[in-house]
Amino acid sequence: MRLLFLGDMVGKTGRTAVWDRLPGLISDLKLDFVVVNGENAAGGFGITEDIFLETINAGADVVTTGNHVWDQKEAVVFAGRHDQFLRPANYPQGTPGRGSGLFYARNGARVLVANVMGRVFMHPELDDPFKSAEVILDACPLKEQADAIIFDFHAEATSEKQCFGHFVDGRASFVVGTHTHVPTADAQILNGGTAYMSDAGMCGDYDSSLGMDKEEPLNRFISKMPKGRMEAANGPATICGVGVEISDATGLAEKIAPLRLGPRLAETVPEFWR
């Protein structure tokens, strides 16, 4: 199975770049399943229902989120209406929406996708992500109820992300980090067969500070005083993500490599998809 995960869409330039390029990527690369993190898609803060639906219409099978999931107040309402919209699974019981779901890939495979948020340097501090993952895996084990299992681990600390990868190694197909908006160089397959990358990067303008117009963040570092609101940068976007090939026989990863398309960062498409 060919899986593509795209990192956090930031603002209009990030989401429109994904909408424009994703249909062609699905066709050209013969993708079976696509996950996109959309938590910064609405002006850099949260996601609206219209943006979510447009992302699904462009070809995403699931949209994940993170700590900004509720920044747009309408998300509290529409989260429960759409199975393909995921918020972190380790929110307390009773939180609107869902944190995981079982979906069907284009090749007919059953794909479990789970969205979990870390706790180190993160706000709000949610329930234990390791215990949450254990509950999810116990309910839907790999090669029993699911042919592939994907975790979007939304977290700040790379140490927490790496430990989470090792925790589910051999029990999940793929663990990818989101939140820090900078693609890491550690795409690998862990000892137990789980594909792992600490951060997929963002889909947005890299002439920025994490996708936001750089003037206000720079001012705050220098002066310690806000002058205005943070605004999403609106220059040309680079799409960042990671591609994984998953064995139909084992549900574990066979290949992993980053994908980057656009200005500023060196473009790359996984060699096994060329």
Side-chain angles (χ1 to χ4, degrees):
M1 182 174 73
R2 290 187 169 190
L3 161 74
L4 176 66
F5 183 97
L6 296 181
D8 314 44
M9 296 188 296
V10 182
K12 183 177 181 180
T13 188
R15 67 182 187 252
T16 54
V18 171
W19 297 344
D20 289 345
R21 297 295 296 270
L22 186 53
L25 288 172
I26 292 171
S27 175
D28 295 343
L29 303 179
K30 298 179 175 59
L31 300 176
D32 296 304
F33 201 80
V34 177
V35 181
V36 179
N37 186 292
E39 74 142 11
N40 301 117
F45 301 96
I47 185 170
T48 66
E49 187 170 23
D50 286 345
I51 292 172
F52 161 73
L53 291 172
E54 193 71 30
T55 306
I56 294 297
N57 289 338
D61 295 286
V62 178
V63 174
T64 55
T65 55
N67 59 302
H68 288 291
V69 60
W70 310 124
D71 282 8
Q72 301 295 320
K73 300 305 182 186
E74 67 180 85
V76 176
V77 178
F78 79 75
R81 288 203 292 254
H82 302 288
D83 290 346
Q84 294 163 285
F85 180 81
L86 299 183
R87 46 84 174 158
N90 49 331
Y91 265 98
Q93 188 173 1
T95 302
R98 60 201 305 222
S100 63
L102 192 65
F103 307 93
Y104 285 93
R106 291 168 186 82
N107 66 346
R110 302 163 299 170
V111 183
L112 174 67
V113 183
N115 193 181
V116 181
M117 196 165 99
R119 296 200 293 187
V120 179
F121 309 128
M122 296 292 289
H123 300 283
E125 186 173 311
L126 303 184
D127 297 339
D128 185 344
F130 295 85
K131 288 183 179 178
S132 295
E134 196 70 67
V135 170
I136 290 168
L137 291 171
D138 284 346
C140 193
L142 185 63
K143 296 313 295 178
E144 292 183 24
Q145 278 77 41
D147 299 306
I149 297 176
I150 302 158
F151 279 95
D152 174 350
F153 193 72
H154 196 80
E156 181 76 27
T158 50
S159 57
E160 188 180 22
K161 292 178 178 181
Q162 289 176 344
C163 283
F164 183 86
H166 293 303
F167 179 69
V168 302
D169 186 21
R171 299 187 291 163
S173 310
F174 178 36
V175 173
V176 60
T178 54
H179 179 67
T180 61
H181 292 198
V182 177
T184 55
D186 62 340
Q188 60 184 292
I189 298 176
L190 303 178
N191 292 340
T194 297
Y196 173 86
M197 186 171 175
S198 290
D199 203 286
M202 70 173 180
C203 298
D205 179 6
Y206 273 85
D207 184 16
S208 66
S209 173
L210 305 182
M212 308 306 287
D213 185 88
K214 57 195 174 189
E215 297 304 323
E216 181 57 19
L218 181 59
N219 162 68
R220 294 186 189 188
F221 278 115
I222 293 171
S223 71
K224 308 303 180 184
M225 294 288 291
K227 285 186 178 178
R229 294 183 58 197
M230 296 277 197
E231 302 284 349
N234 59 10
T238 297
I239 294 174
C240 284
V242 57
V244 178
E245 284 202 1
I246 297 170
S247 167
D248 293 335
T250 67
L252 296 172
E254 296 181 323
K255 300 174 184 177
I256 180 173
L259 178 142
R260 293 189 295 271
L261 298 172
R264 305 196 74 86
L265 303 185
E267 288 202 349
T268 178
V269 175
E271 286 294 333
F272 48 86
W273 285 350
R274 290 185 185 275

Coordinates of all heavy atoms in Angstrom, one line a residue, residues 176-249:
V176 N 4.2 9.4 12.5 CA 4.8 10.6 12.0 C 4.5 11.7 13.0 O 3.4 11.8 13.5 CB 4.2 10.9 10.6 CG1 2.7 11.1 10.6 CG2 4.9 12.2 10.0
G177 N 5.5 12.6 13.3 CA 5.3 13.7 14.1 C 4.8 14.9 13.4 O 5.1 15.1 12.2
T178 N 4.0 15.7 14.0 CA 3.5 17.0 13.5 C 3.7 18.0 14.6 O 4.1 17.7 15.7 CB 2.1 17.0 13.0 OG1 1.2 16.5 14.1 CG2 1.9 16.1 11.8
H179 N 3.4 19.3 14.3 CA 3.4 20.4 15.2 C 4.6 21.4 15.1 O 4.4 22.6 15.2 CB 3.3 20.0 16.7 CG 3.3 21.1 17.7 ND1 2.2 22.0 17.8 CD2 4.2 21.5 18.7 CE1 2.5 22.8 18.8 NE2 3.6 22.6 19.3
T180 N 5.8 20.9 14.9 CA 6.9 21.9 14.9 C 7.2 22.5 13.5 O 7.9 23.5 13.4 CB 8.2 21.2 15.3 OG1 8.5 20.1 14.5 CG2 8.1 20.6 16.8
H181 N 6.5 22.0 12.5 CA 6.5 22.7 11.2 C 7.8 22.7 10.4 O 7.9 23.3 9.4 CB 6.0 24.1 11.3 CG 4.5 24.3 11.7 ND1 3.8 25.4 11.5 CD2 3.7 23.4 12.3 CE1 2.6 25.2 11.9 NE2 2.5 24.0 12.4
V182 N 8.8 21.9 10.9 CA 10.1 21.8 10.2 C 10.4 20.3 9.9 O 10.4 19.5 10.9 CB 11.2 22.4 11.1 CG1 12.5 22.2 10.4 CG2 10.9 23.9 11.4
P183 N 10.6 20.0 8.7 CA 10.8 18.6 8.4 C 12.1 18.1 8.9 O 13.1 18.8 8.8 CB 10.8 18.5 6.8 CG 11.2 19.9 6.4 CD 10.6 20.8 7.5
T184 N 12.1 16.9 9.5 CA 13.3 16.3 10.1 C 14.0 15.4 9.1 O 13.3 14.9 8.2 CB 13.0 15.6 11.4 OG1 11.9 14.6 11.2 CG2 12.5 16.6 12.5
A185 N 15.2 15.1 9.4 CA 16.0 14.2 8.5 C 16.1 12.8 9.0 O 17.1 12.1 8.6 CB 17.4 14.8 8.3
D186 N 15.2 12.3 9.8 CA 15.3 11.0 10.4 C 14.3 10.0 10.0 O 13.9 9.1 10.7 CB 15.3 11.2 12.0 CG 13.9 11.7 12.5 OD1 13.2 12.3 11.7 OD2 13.6 11.5 13.7
A187 N 13.8 10.2 8.7 CA 12.9 9.1 8.2 C 13.6 7.8 8.2 O 14.6 7.6 7.7 CB 12.4 9.5 6.8
Q188 N 12.9 6.8 8.9 CA 13.6 5.5 9.0 C 12.5 4.4 9.3 O 11.3 4.8 9.6 CB 14.5 5.5 10.2 CG 13.8 5.9 11.5 CD 14.8 6.0 12.7 OE1 15.4 5.0 13.1 NE2 14.9 7.2 13.2
I189 N 12.9 3.2 9.2 CA 12.1 2.1 9.7 C 12.7 1.5 10.9 O 13.9 1.1 11.0 CB 12.0 1.0 8.6 CG1 11.3 1.6 7.3 CG2 11.2 -0.2 9.1 CD1 11.2 0.6 6.2
L190 N 11.9 1.5 12.0 CA 12.4 1.1 13.3 C 12.6 -0.4 13.3 O 12.2 -1.1 12.4 CB 11.4 1.5 14.4 CG 11.1 3.0 14.5 CD1 10.1 3.3 15.6 CD2 12.4 3.8 14.8
N191 N 13.2 -0.9 14.4 CA 13.6 -2.4 14.4 C 12.4 -3.3 14.2 O 12.6 -4.4 13.7 CB 14.3 -2.7 15.7 CG 15.7 -2.0 15.9 OD1 16.2 -1.6 14.8 ND2 16.2 -1.8 17.1
G192 N 11.3 -2.9 14.7 CA 10.1 -3.8 14.6 C 9.3 -3.7 13.4 O 8.3 -4.4 13.2
G193 N 9.7 -2.7 12.5 CA 9.1 -2.6 11.2 C 8.2 -1.4 11.0 O 7.5 -1.3 10.0
T194 N 8.1 -0.5 12.0 CA 7.3 0.7 12.0 C 8.0 1.8 11.3 O 9.2 2.2 11.8 CB 6.8 1.1 13.4 OG1 6.0 0.0 13.9 CG2 6.0 2.4 13.4
A195 N 7.5 2.4 10.3 CA 8.1 3.6 9.7 C 7.9 4.8 10.6 O 6.9 4.9 11.3 CB 7.4 3.9 8.4
Y196 N 9.0 5.6 10.7 CA 9.0 6.7 11.7 C 9.6 8.0 11.1 O 10.7 7.9 10.4 CB 9.7 6.3 12.9 CG 9.9 7.4 13.9 CD1 8.9 7.8 14.8 CD2 11.0 8.2 13.9 CE1 9.0 8.8 15.7 CE2 11.2 9.3 14.8 CZ 10.2 9.6 15.7 OH 10.3 10.7 16.5
M197 N 9.1 9.2 11.4 CA 9.7 10.4 11.1 C 9.3 11.4 12.2 O 8.1 11.6 12.5 CB 9.3 10.9 9.7 CG 10.1 12.2 9.3 SD 9.7 12.5 7.5 CE 10.5 14.1 7.3
S198 N 10.2 12.1 12.8 CA 9.9 13.0 13.9 C 9.0 14.1 13.6 O 8.1 14.5 14.4 CB 11.2 13.5 14.6 OG 11.9 12.5 15.2
D199 N 9.2 14.7 12.4 CA 8.2 15.7 12.0 C 8.1 15.8 10.5 O 9.2 15.8 9.8 CB 8.6 17.1 12.5 CG 7.3 18.0 12.6 OD1 6.9 18.5 11.5 OD2 6.8 18.2 13.7
A200 N 6.9 15.8 9.9 CA 6.7 15.8 8.5 C 7.0 17.2 7.9 O 7.1 17.3 6.7 CB 5.3 15.4 8.2
G201 N 7.1 18.2 8.7 CA 7.1 19.6 8.2 C 5.8 20.2 8.0 O 4.8 19.6 8.4
M202 N 5.7 21.3 7.4 CA 4.4 22.0 7.1 C 4.2 22.2 5.6 O 5.1 22.1 4.8 CB 4.4 23.4 7.8 CG 5.3 24.4 7.2 SD 5.0 26.0 7.9 CE 6.2 27.0 6.9
C203 N 2.9 22.4 5.3 CA 2.6 22.9 4.0 C 2.3 24.4 4.1 O 1.2 24.7 4.6 CB 1.4 22.1 3.4 SG 1.7 20.3 3.3
G204 N 3.2 25.2 3.7 CA 3.1 26.6 3.9 C 4.3 27.4 3.4 O 5.2 26.8 2.7
D205 N 4.3 28.7 3.6 CA 5.4 29.6 3.2 C 6.5 29.5 4.1 O 6.5 29.8 5.3 CB 4.8 31.0 3.1 CG 5.8 32.0 2.7 OD1 6.9 31.6 2.3 OD2 5.5 33.2 2.8
Y206 N 7.7 29.0 3.6 CA 8.9 28.8 4.5 C 9.7 30.1 4.6 O 10.7 30.1 5.4 CB 9.7 27.7 4.0 CG 9.3 26.3 4.5 CD1 8.3 25.6 3.9 CD2 9.9 25.8 5.7 CE1 7.8 24.4 4.5 CE2 9.4 24.6 6.2 CZ 8.4 23.9 5.6 OH 8.0 22.7 6.2
D207 N 9.3 31.2 3.9 CA 9.9 32.5 4.2 C 9.1 33.1 5.3 O 8.3 34.1 5.1 CB 9.8 33.4 2.9 CG 10.5 34.7 3.1 OD1 11.2 34.9 4.1 OD2 10.2 35.6 2.3
S208 N 9.2 32.6 6.5 CA 8.3 32.9 7.6 C 8.9 32.4 8.9 O 10.0 31.9 8.9 CB 7.0 32.1 7.3 OG 7.2 30.7 7.4
S209 N 8.1 32.5 10.0 CA 8.4 31.8 11.2 C 7.4 30.7 11.4 O 6.2 31.1 11.8 CB 8.5 32.8 12.4 OG 8.6 32.1 13.6
L210 N 7.7 29.5 11.1 CA 6.7 28.4 11.2 C 5.4 28.6 10.4 O 4.4 28.2 10.8 CB 6.4 28.1 12.7 CG 7.6 27.9 13.6 CD1 7.2 27.5 15.0 CD2 8.5 26.8 13.0
G211 N 5.5 29.3 9.3 CA 4.4 29.6 8.5 C 3.7 30.9 8.8 O 2.7 31.3 8.1
M212 N 4.1 31.6 9.8 CA 3.5 32.9 10.2 C 4.4 34.0 9.6 O 5.6 33.9 9.6 CB 3.3 33.0 11.7 CG 2.6 31.9 12.3 SD 1.0 31.5 11.6 CE 0.1 33.0 12.3
D213 N 3.8 35.1 9.3 CA 4.6 36.3 8.8 C 5.6 36.6 9.8 O 5.4 36.7 11.0 CB 3.6 37.5 8.6 CG 4.4 38.7 8.0 OD1 4.4 38.8 6.8 OD2 4.9 39.5 8.9
K214 N 6.9 36.7 9.4 CA 8.0 36.7 10.3 C 8.2 38.0 11.2 O 8.9 37.9 12.2 CB 9.3 36.4 9.6 CG 9.6 37.4 8.4 CD 10.6 36.8 7.5 CE 10.8 37.7 6.3 NZ 11.7 37.1 5.3
E215 N 7.6 39.1 10.8 CA 7.8 40.3 11.5 C 7.3 40.3 12.9 O 8.0 40.8 13.8 CB 7.2 41.5 10.7 CG 7.8 41.7 9.3 CD 9.3 41.9 9.3 OE1 9.8 42.6 10.2 OE2 9.9 41.4 8.4
E216 N 6.1 39.8 13.1 CA 5.6 39.9 14.5 C 6.3 38.9 15.4 O 6.6 39.2 16.6 CB 4.1 39.7 14.5 CG 3.4 39.7 15.9 CD 3.7 41.0 16.7 OE1 4.0 42.0 16.1 OE2 3.5 40.9 17.9
P217 N 6.5 37.6 15.0 CA 7.3 36.7 15.9 C 8.7 37.3 16.2 O 9.2 37.2 17.3 CB 7.4 35.4 15.1 CG 6.2 35.5 14.2 CD 6.0 36.9 13.8
L218 N 9.4 37.9 15.2 CA 10.7 38.5 15.4 C 10.6 39.6 16.4 O 11.4 39.7 17.3 CB 11.3 39.0 14.1 CG 12.7 39.6 14.1 CD1 13.7 38.6 14.6 CD2 13.0 40.1 12.7
N219 N 9.6 40.5 16.2 CA 9.4 41.6 17.2 C 9.2 41.1 18.6 O 9.8 41.6 19.6 CB 8.2 42.4 16.8 CG 7.7 43.2 17.9 OD1 8.3 44.2 18.4 ND2 6.5 42.9 18.5
R220 N 8.5 40.0 18.8 CA 8.2 39.5 20.1 C 9.5 38.9 20.8 O 9.7 39.0 22.0 CB 7.1 38.5 20.1 CG 5.7 39.1 19.7 CD 4.6 38.1 19.9 NE 3.4 38.7 19.3 CZ 2.2 38.1 19.4 NH1 2.1 36.9 20.1 NH2 1.1 38.6 18.9
F221 N 10.3 38.3 20.0 CA 11.6 37.8 20.5 C 12.5 38.9 20.9 O 13.2 38.8 22.0 CB 12.3 36.9 19.5 CG 11.8 35.5 19.4 CD1 11.2 35.0 18.3 CD2 12.0 34.6 20.5 CE1 10.7 33.7 18.2 CE2 11.5 33.3 20.5 CZ 10.9 32.9 19.3
I222 N 12.5 40.0 20.2 CA 13.4 41.1 20.5 C 12.9 42.0 21.6 O 13.6 42.4 22.5 CB 13.7 41.9 19.2 CG1 14.4 41.1 18.2 CG2 14.4 43.2 19.5 CD1 14.5 41.7 16.8
S223 N 11.6 42.4 21.5 CA 11.1 43.4 22.4 C 10.3 42.8 23.6 O 10.1 43.5 24.6 CB 10.1 44.3 21.6 OG 8.9 43.7 21.3
K224 N 9.9 41.6 23.5 CA 9.1 40.9 24.5 C 7.7 41.5 24.6 O 6.9 41.3 25.5 CB 9.7 40.9 25.8 CG 11.1 40.4 25.9 CD 11.2 38.9 25.3 CE 12.7 38.4 25.4 NZ 12.8 37.1 24.8
M225 N 7.3 42.3 23.6 CA 6.0 43.0 23.6 C 5.3 42.8 22.3 O 5.9 43.0 21.2 CB 6.2 44.6 23.8 CG 6.8 44.9 25.2 SD 5.5 44.7 26.5 CE 4.4 46.1 26.0
P226 N 4.1 42.4 22.3 CA 3.3 42.2 21.0 C 3.0 43.6 20.4 O 2.6 44.5 21.1 CB 2.1 41.5 21.4 CG 1.9 41.8 22.9 CD 3.2 42.0 23.4
K227 N 3.1 43.7 19.1 CA 2.7 44.9 18.4 C 1.4 44.6 17.6 O 0.7 45.6 17.3 CB 3.7 45.3 17.3 CG 5.0 45.9 18.0 CD 5.9 46.4 16.9 CE 7.1 47.1 17.4 NZ 8.0 47.6 16.4
G228 N 1.0 43.4 17.4 CA -0.2 43.0 16.6 C -0.4 41.5 16.7 O 0.2 40.8 17.4
R229 N -1.4 41.1 15.8 CA -1.7 39.7 15.8 C -0.7 38.9 14.9 O -0.1 39.5 14.0 CB -3.1 39.5 15.2 CG -4.2 40.0 16.0 CD -5.5 39.7 15.3 NE -5.7 38.3 15.1 CZ -6.6 37.8 14.2 NH1 -7.4 38.5 13.5 NH2 -6.7 36.5 14.1
M230 N -0.5 37.7 15.2 CA 0.2 36.8 14.3 C -0.7 36.5 13.1 O -1.8 36.2 13.2 CB 0.5 35.4 15.0 CG 1.4 35.5 16.2 SD 3.1 35.5 15.8 CE 3.8 35.1 17.4
E231 N -0.1 36.7 11.9 CA -0.8 36.4 10.6 C 0.0 35.4 9.8 O 1.2 35.4 9.8 CB -0.9 37.7 9.8 CG -1.6 38.9 10.6 CD -3.1 38.7 10.6 OE1 -3.6 37.8 9.8 OE2 -3.7 39.5 11.3
A232 N -0.7 34.5 9.2 CA -0.1 33.5 8.3 C 0.6 34.2 7.2 O 0.1 35.1 6.5 CB -1.1 32.5 7.8
A233 N 1.8 33.7 6.9 CA 2.6 34.2 5.7 C 1.8 33.8 4.4 O 1.2 32.8 4.4 CB 4.0 33.7 5.7
N234 N 1.9 34.7 3.4 CA 1.1 34.4 2.2 C 2.0 34.3 0.9 O 1.5 34.4 -0.2 CB 0.1 35.5 2.0 CG 0.7 36.9 1.9 OD1 1.9 37.0 1.8 ND2 -0.1 37.9 2.0
G235 N 3.3 34.0 1.1 CA 4.1 33.7 -0.1 C 3.9 32.3 -0.6 O 3.1 31.5 -0.1
P236 N 4.6 32.0 -1.7 CA 4.5 30.7 -2.3 C 4.7 29.6 -1.3 O 5.7 29.6 -0.5 CB 5.5 30.7 -3.4 CG 5.7 32.1 -3.7 CD 5.6 32.8 -2.4
A237 N 3.9 28.5 -1.3 CA 4.0 27.5 -0.3 C 4.8 26.3 -0.8 O 4.9 26.0 -2.0 CB 2.6 27.0 0.1
T238 N 5.5 25.6 0.1 CA 6.2 24.4 -0.1 C 5.3 23.3 0.6 O 4.9 23.4 1.8 CB 7.6 24.4 0.5 OG1 8.4 25.4 -0.2 CG2 8.2 23.0 0.3
I239 N 5.1 22.2 -0.1 CA 4.3 21.1 0.4 C 5.4 20.1 1.0 O 6.3 19.7 0.3 CB 3.5 20.4 -0.6 CG1 2.4 21.3 -1.1 CG2 2.9 19.1 -0.1 CD1 1.6 20.7 -2.3
C240 N 5.2 19.8 2.3 CA 6.1 18.9 3.0 C 5.3 17.7 3.5 O 4.2 17.8 4.1 CB 6.9 19.5 4.1 SG 8.2 20.6 3.6
G241 N 5.9 16.5 3.4 CA 5.2 15.3 3.9 C 6.2 14.1 3.8 O 7.4 14.3 3.7
V242 N 5.6 13.0 3.9 CA 6.4 11.7 3.9 C 5.6 10.6 3.2 O 4.4 10.5 3.4 CB 6.9 11.4 5.3 CG1 5.7 11.2 6.2 CG2 7.8 10.1 5.3
G243 N 6.3 9.8 2.4 CA 5.7 8.7 1.7 C 6.2 7.4 2.3 O 7.4 7.3 2.7
V244 N 5.3 6.5 2.4 CA 5.6 5.2 3.0 C 5.0 4.1 2.2 O 3.8 4.2 1.7 CB 5.0 5.1 4.5 CG1 5.3 3.7 5.0 CG2 5.6 6.1 5.3
E245 N 5.7 3.0 2.0 CA 5.1 1.8 1.4 C 5.0 0.7 2.4 O 5.9 0.5 3.2 CB 6.0 1.3 0.2 CG 5.9 2.1 -1.1 CD 6.3 1.3 -2.3 OE1 6.7 0.1 -2.2 OE2 6.2 1.9 -3.4
I246 N 3.8 0.2 2.5 CA 3.4 -0.8 3.6 C 3.2 -2.1 3.0 O 2.5 -2.2 2.0 CB 2.2 -0.3 4.4 CG1 2.5 1.1 5.1 CG2 1.7 -1.3 5.4 CD1 1.3 1.8 5.6
S247 N 3.7 -3.2 3.6 CA 3.5 -4.5 3.1 C 2.1 -5.0 3.2 O 1.5 -4.9 4.3 CB 4.4 -5.5 3.9 OG 4.1 -6.8 3.6
D248 N 1.5 -5.5 2.2 CA 0.2 -6.1 2.3 C 0.2 -7.3 3.1 O -0.9 -7.6 3.7 CB -0.3 -6.4 0.9 CG -0.5 -5.2 0.0 OD1 -0.8 -4.1 0.5 OD2 -0.5 -5.3 -1.3
A249 N 1.3 -8.0 3.2 CA 1.3 -9.3 4.0 C 1.4 -9.0 5.5 O 0.8 -9.7 6.3 CB 2.5 -10.1 3.5

